[in-house]
Amino acid sequence: MSDMDKTESSQTSVRYDVSLLTDTDIYLFNQGRHFHLYTKLGAHLLESKGTKGTYFGVWAPNAKQVSIIGDFNQWDKNSHLLKSRDQSGIWEGFIPGIGQGIIYKFHIISNYHNFQVDKADPLAFYSQISPSTGSIVWDISYQWADQNWMDAQKEANSLTAPMSIYEIHLGSWKRSPKDNSPLSYRELAPQLAEHIQKLGFTHIEFLPVMEHPFSGSWGYQTTGYFAPTSRFGTPQDFMYLIDYLHRHNIGVILDWVPSHFPDNQHGLVFFDGTHLYEHPNPQKGFHPDWHSFIFDYGRKEVQSFLISSALYWLDKFHADAIRVDGVASMLYLDYSRQRGEWSVNKFGGRENLEAMSFIKSLNEQSYKFFPGTQTIAEESTSWPMVSRPTYIGGLGFGLKWDMGWMHDTLNYMSQDPIFRKYHYHQLTFRPLYAFRENFLLPLSHDEVVHGKSSLLAKMPGTEKQKLANLRLLLSYMYATPGKKLLFMGAEFGQWREWNHDAGLDWYLAGEPGHAELSCFLADLNRIYRTEKPLHEADFDSSGFKWTDCADPENSTLSFLRLGQNTEEFIMAVFNFTPVPRFSYRIGCPGEGVWKEILNSDAREYGGEGYGNYGSANAEPIPFHTFPASLRLTLPPLGALFLKPELILPKR
């Protein structure tokens, strides 16, 4: 058959009288204000006039021909041609007989230099397993059973609620004992839920599950912004995992990457023979460190695409939050660039004004459509008001990772205790900025790879001291204002660095010291969730008060956490040396009995057993600017959490 005959025959195999796009849809898309593109573009199973088939729509404004290719037409680029929709840049068509599971791509012939390429669908719901790159026609309907969770979602994700997050990489949490293959979404569901409930975390955060070609990128080189990776199952299988977690009262956070995308030919790069998704200026459109492409945040259609992607995961997958990766790389024109490698904005500054506008719109739309969710920024600089509303000049995120706390704390904890007194300021500095943002304290995957060692291996001393130091680190983290995040493996003290190609060393979880560490973390999570002073006022300076931050010589530290009801107190006391401190006096707000609700050095946690026999009496002896004081035994490399048994006088 000649090419002309094939083109003529396509007129009967593709119908152009079926469209999901209204004129309003097209207008909003071109204006950067269409936030539900996943209901309009991509591949959608339909029935029209008694005929079942699939409607296809794709944005390729610089193409002169777009066709659907796949096994169903022997990958014939002239068999099923789409039609351009006016001046919108969108190509569309309805193909009868195309149903669930059909593999397809878009074949694009560009107006420029007759460039031809086969592209995966940017809005595909499902993709072939890598290294195959085809998109799959798929119905994503699912019968959810998590209504109880969704009804309480806003409360569970509130800034005043406890939020302790278990960060996980799906492919390396646990492997099949038969062939070392990763577990499927459905296999993971009951095991994950049981593990999270046992440890007491409130949320789980998945490293990017969006489709990606290279497993070694951990999902951070995304090609499928609307497709959960097929490595572990179908979209419904991933929905089942989230549904199962929700039904067990566990929130779900998804890592999402709008900061860059890879150069794989089947992906977004040079999509229609032009720089369509990426910025055409390499100083703005190419990332020198990651060798990937940067979105053109000023292009209206790209804004519609990216915001639609974020809302898709909140909508169709019931995600409780999205964690936005690489925000700093988006905000600064000179990020990872030397002099002469970047251009100033129209005001002569280094801020990426287009990215700022996009981020604000992303957050506004997220909270508009899904007010019970959160957006979280992985932003590593001192950019102001990242987690403040856009109407007062902020970027609009709900939370921001506190990278400064993470770096300072890990640096301090890695020091030999003999030298910690010289680094005391790394612990006492944070309250000077702690309430400028809604901070989340991360001990994430980035800190346990590439030669950085696992958390346990970072700690100094003997094996027993390393475990004590890790319990101390976790205690300090949970007592400090801010929400919490801990990467998998730390809960039982994994020795080796994280390897994305292997499961965690689960045999350690039952060994002496490691099992006790897990027990301690479970109790730490329990008091964090149940004691309101430890989470209610994380972002308000009224929820924190030093009792003593001026004892570098002994490397001790103590402070009060207060709830919204200022009569509720928790005192946290830390000894960062291996020397127990006896009769150590600490000021407190009033007299009475203070109960020792957690001691990281308890024998049941693998400690030495130093402590205060469960409680201590506050004496009417003024100290540390307080009217009363406690005389305590501070355990070596240990932390104490103390709670007054009697209501103290109002301050």
Side-chain angles (χ1 to χ4, degrees):
M1 182 182 293
S2 68
D3 286 350
M4 182 173 292
D5 290 337
K6 292 177 181 177
T7 301
E8 289 175 353
S9 69
S10 73
Q11 306 309 308
T12 60
S13 59
V14 181
R15 286 172 47 190
Y16 306 118
D17 61 338
V18 179
S19 179
L20 293 178
L21 291 161
T22 65
D23 290 341
T24 300
D25 287 322
I26 292 172
Y27 173 78
L28 291 174
F29 172 56
N30 292 144
Q31 291 295 309
R33 292 165 49 203
H34 200 307
F35 307 124
H36 298 86
L37 284 181
Y38 50 91
T39 64
K40 302 294 181 177
L41 297 182
H44 296 271
L45 293 163
L46 295 177
E47 182 173 344
S48 175
K49 299 178 181 178
T51 302
K52 293 182 178 180
T54 299
Y55 166 83
F56 294 93
V58 65
W59 179 51
N62 299 298
K64 66 179 180 182
Q65 179 177 302
V66 179
S67 59
I68 300 294
I69 56 175
D71 289 337
F72 68 94
N73 64 5
Q74 291 74 53
W75 301 89
D76 186 343
K77 64 185 180 183
N78 293 308
S79 177
H80 293 78
L81 303 181
L82 301 183
K83 184 179 180 180
S84 178
R85 177 73 176 268
D86 303 321
Q87 302 301 312
S88 66
I90 295 173
W91 296 73
E92 62 179 349
F94 175 77
I95 303 179
I98 298 295
Q100 177 94 338
I102 294 296
I103 298 169
Y104 70 98
K105 283 187 177 182
F106 294 110
H107 179 76
I108 297 174
I109 302 178
S110 177
N111 278 315
Y112 293 87
H113 310 293
N114 207 39
F115 175 81
Q116 300 187 37
V117 68
D118 297 339
K119 289 289 187 180
D121 184 354
L123 282 96
F125 297 144
Y126 191 29
S127 301
Q128 287 184 287
I129 298 176
S130 181
S132 297
T133 57
S135 301
I136 302 174
V137 175
W138 204 258
D139 174 14
I140 59 167
S141 59
Y142 178 80
Q143 191 65 42
W144 289 88
D146 65 345
Q147 193 57 51
N148 288 341
W149 173 270
M150 297 303 288
D151 289 342
Q153 185 189 56
K154 189 171 185 178
E155 181 181 353
N157 298 323
S158 165
L159 295 179
T160 60
M163 182 178 285
S164 58
I165 304 165
Y166 184 73
E167 188 189 33
I168 177 177
H169 176 257
L170 278 165
S172 58
W173 182 69
K174 189 176 287 186
R175 295 270 178 147
S176 168
K178 296 179 181 179
D179 57 5
N180 197 42
S181 62
L183 301 183
S184 69
Y185 293 126
R186 289 182 180 266
E187 289 172 328
L188 281 162
Q191 297 184 51
L192 261 180
E194 180 183 5
H195 188 64
I196 297 303
Q197 286 189 313
K198 180 180 178 181
L199 291 171
F201 287 98
T202 65
H203 291 69
I204 189 167
E205 179 176 322
F206 293 114
L207 269 64
V209 299
M210 298 77 188
E211 194 58 81
H212 51 282
F214 177 48
S215 295
S217 77
W218 313 333
Y220 288 97
Q221 296 279 4
T222 303
T223 51
Y225 279 82
F226 297 81
T229 179
S230 55
R231 290 169 173 82
F232 316 118
T234 68
Q236 281 83 357
D237 292 335
F238 184 50
M239 292 172 180
Y240 175 84
L241 171 57
I242 296 175
D243 195 15
Y244 194 97
L245 292 169
H246 278 176
R247 286 187 281 120
H248 289 78
N249 296 313
I250 300 166
V252 177
I253 301 169
L254 301 182
D255 218 336
W256 182 67
V257 190
S259 50
H260 64 116
F261 59 90
D263 61 358
N264 299 75
Q265 187 182 58
H266 71 281
L268 299 177
V269 66
F270 213 57
F271 191 79
D272 63 356
T274 68
H275 297 293
L276 189 63
Y277 288 91
E278 66 271 24
H279 199 288
N281 180 350
Q283 292 189 337
K284 293 183 177 181
F286 186 77
H287 199 292
D289 285 352
W290 303 329
H291 301 285
S292 54
F293 289 86
I294 302 170
F295 285 100
D296 185 350
Y297 301 109
R299 187 156 193 167
K300 300 301 184 182
E301 294 87 352
V302 172
Q303 294 175 19
S304 290
F305 172 82
L306 285 173
I307 295 175
S308 291
S309 171
L311 298 193
Y312 171 74
W313 299 101
L314 300 176
D315 180 9
K316 296 299 183 181
F317 288 83
H318 289 199
D320 295 283
I322 55 169
R323 179 265 196 186
V324 183
D325 182 67
V327 173
S329 72
M330 302 165 65
L331 290 173
Y332 295 96
L333 295 169
D334 62 344
Y335 187 89
S336 291
R337 298 181 189 275
Q338 303 299 317
R339 185 188 299 272
E341 295 178 348
W342 61 282
S343 302
V344 299
N345 63 34
K346 63 182 180 181
F347 299 113
R350 63 187 185 123
E351 300 82 10
N352 189 329
L353 303 178
E354 292 82 6
M356 288 173 57
S357 178
F358 158 71
I359 289 170
K360 290 179 180 182
S361 181
L362 163 70
N363 288 317
E364 289 168 354
Q365 301 310 319
S366 296
Y367 289 116
K368 173 184 176 181
F369 287 104
F370 303 99
T373 65
Q374 292 288 354
T375 60
I376 305 170
E378 190 248 336
E379 203 286 314
S380 55
T381 74
S382 57
W383 187 285
M385 301 176 71
V386 171
S387 56
R388 295 294 179 261
T390 58
Y391 59 78
I392 61 170
L395 291 181
F397 286 100
L399 294 161
K400 172 184 171 175
W401 277 28
D402 190 346
M403 308 295 278
W405 172 87
M406 179 272 294
H407 285 298
D408 286 348
T409 302
L410 289 183
N411 181 273
Y412 178 87
M413 292 301 300
S414 66
Q415 302 293 327
D416 187 298
I418 294 175
F419 304 111
R420 282 178 175 170
K421 62 183 179 181
Y422 303 113
H423 300 267
Y424 194 68
H425 66 282
Q426 292 185 306
L427 299 185
T428 59
F429 172 71
R430 184 179 188 264
L432 297 177
Y433 71 86
F435 305 104
R436 294 179 185 175
E437 301 279 2
N438 300 335
F439 281 120
L440 185 155
L441 312 180
L443 294 175
S444 75
H445 63 280
D446 277 330
E447 312 320 314
V448 294
V449 290
H450 304 319
K452 297 178 184 177
S453 303
S454 69
L455 285 186
L456 182 58
K458 291 181 198 291
M459 301 296 106
T462 64
E463 180 175 336
K464 194 174 183 67
Q465 288 174 330
K466 286 178 183 291
L467 286 162
N469 268 302
L470 184 50
R471 296 193 302 272
L472 177 58
L473 167 61
L474 294 175
S475 301
Y476 176 67
M477 175 189 189
Y478 273 72
T480 300
K483 306 311 179 187
K484 328 297 178 188
L485 180 143
L486 187 67
F487 187 57
M488 63 183 198
E491 71 268 29
F492 58 78
Q494 175 148 315
W495 284 109
R496 66 174 175 85
E497 286 189 342
W498 169 50
N499 176 5
H500 70 272
D501 282 328
L504 298 179
D505 294 334
W506 289 103
Y507 70 90
L508 284 173
E511 293 194 353
H514 300 270
E516 289 82 358
L517 174 62
S518 294
C519 178
F520 170 72
L521 180 58
D523 283 349
L524 187 57
N525 267 318
R526 175 182 52 79
I527 69 162
Y528 169 69
R529 291 194 324 271
T530 57
E531 299 293 343
K532 292 181 179 180
L534 291 177
H535 61 255
E536 271 191 342
D538 274 327
F539 312 125
D540 188 332
S541 59
S542 67
F544 175 88
K545 184 176 178 63
W546 284 117
T547 51
D548 184 16
C549 60
D551 191 7
E553 192 62 34
N554 289 314
S555 296
T556 64
L557 201 65
S558 57
F559 52 78
L560 292 171
R561 293 298 311 276
L562 303 94
Q564 292 177 335
N565 176 357
T566 54
E567 293 181 348
E568 296 182 271
F569 297 82
I570 295 290
M571 180 185 287
V573 186
F574 307 93
N575 176 11
F576 292 96
T577 71
V579 180
R581 307 289 176 188
F582 299 103
S583 296
Y584 192 91
R585 190 169 293 277
I586 295 176
C588 63
E591 297 177 50
V593 176
W594 287 68
K595 184 179 179 182
E596 195 176 80
I597 61 173
L598 192 69
N599 179 348
S600 71
D601 193 51
R603 293 190 183 279
E604 63 194 277
Y605 305 138
E608 298 292 335
Y610 287 93
N612 299 277
Y613 302 102
S615 65
N617 289 307
E619 303 170 305
I621 301 175
F623 203 69
H624 288 150
T625 74
F626 289 95
S629 57
L630 291 160
R631 192 170 55 174
L632 300 172
T633 294
L634 305 189
L637 298 174
L640 300 175
F641 288 78
L642 301 158
K643 179 181 180 180
E645 289 192 327
L646 302 176
I647 300 297
L648 299 177
K650 291 185 177 180
R651 292 170 298 164

